[in-house]
Amino acid sequence: IMVIAGNETTRIAIAQGVLAFCEYPGQWDRLRADPSLLDTATDEIMRWTCPTHFMRRTAVAGTVLGGAEIKAGAKVVLWYVSGNRDEAEFDHPGVFDIGRSPNRHLSFGRGGPHLCLGVHLARLELKVVLAALTRRVARFSLAGEPQRIRSNFTNGLKTLPVRVW
């Protein structure tokens, strides 16, 4: 799981993080000017990019969620993409803000038995890549149209042509 799932989702987060910085260059300037934002930037990239669209689970007990009854044994789908844009959880969820705090995104799960096994490694990898890029790249810009992976499970990019300087 750590090698395959962690590799794919971290790669997706890095590529889509670069795309976010192409689209919001002021946030890149902010990160370069203030390296203390690396931790919050890492979490905001995970929230914003949401490498996994959803996960299916089985309810182990009956409950009511958002006014809907869920019976024990029912199959449920957790839409991470929706949860990471939930207005009840995030102020201005449609804004990419590398200083967002708190940032209780769902990209790794929220704990318990379904917390992503590679959460610490993924955060570290993303943080290390961001730190290296802030020292070497003044600006990113799109050099063509990004192409998305055709997948209903992962939220990835097939190609991301960029210019760096």
Side-chain angles (χ1 to χ4, degrees), residues 2 14 16 18 29 57 73 93 95 141 160:
M2 295 254 314
I14 292 167
Q16 292 217 79
V18 169
D29 294 339
R57 297 287 184 238
V95 173
S141 67
L160 178 64

Side-chain angles (χ1 to χ4, degrees), residues 69-113:
E69 181 181 358
I70 299 172
K71 295 181 180 184
K75 307 298 184 212
V76 294
V77 177
L78 310 169
W79 288 98
Y80 298 120
V81 174
S82 178
N84 281 345
R85 296 291 198 281
D86 186 349
E87 292 176 349
E89 179 66 33
F90 300 99
D91 290 333
H92 311 290
V95 173
F96 179 65
D97 176 6
I98 64 162
R100 185 180 300 276
S101 181
N103 190 340
R104 290 174 24 94
H105 65 83
L106 299 173
S107 297
F108 297 115
R110 281 267 177 90

Side-chain angles (χ1 to χ4, degrees), residues 3 55 60 96 99 135 148 165:
V3 172
M55 193 68 64
V60 296
F96 179 65
R135 292 187 301 271
R148 296 208 165 269
W165 66 89

Side-chain angles (χ1 to χ4, degrees), residues 33-72:
D34 186 357
S36 73
L37 292 170
L38 279 168
D39 286 328
T40 55
T42 296
D43 276 326
E44 182 66 352
I45 288 169
M46 291 308 299
R47 181 192 77 86
W48 187 257
T49 66
C50 203
T52 303
H53 288 299
F54 71 92
M55 193 68 64
R56 190 200 59 82
R57 297 287 184 238
T58 303
V60 296
T63 190
V64 175
L65 181 62
E69 181 181 358
I70 299 172
K71 295 181 180 184

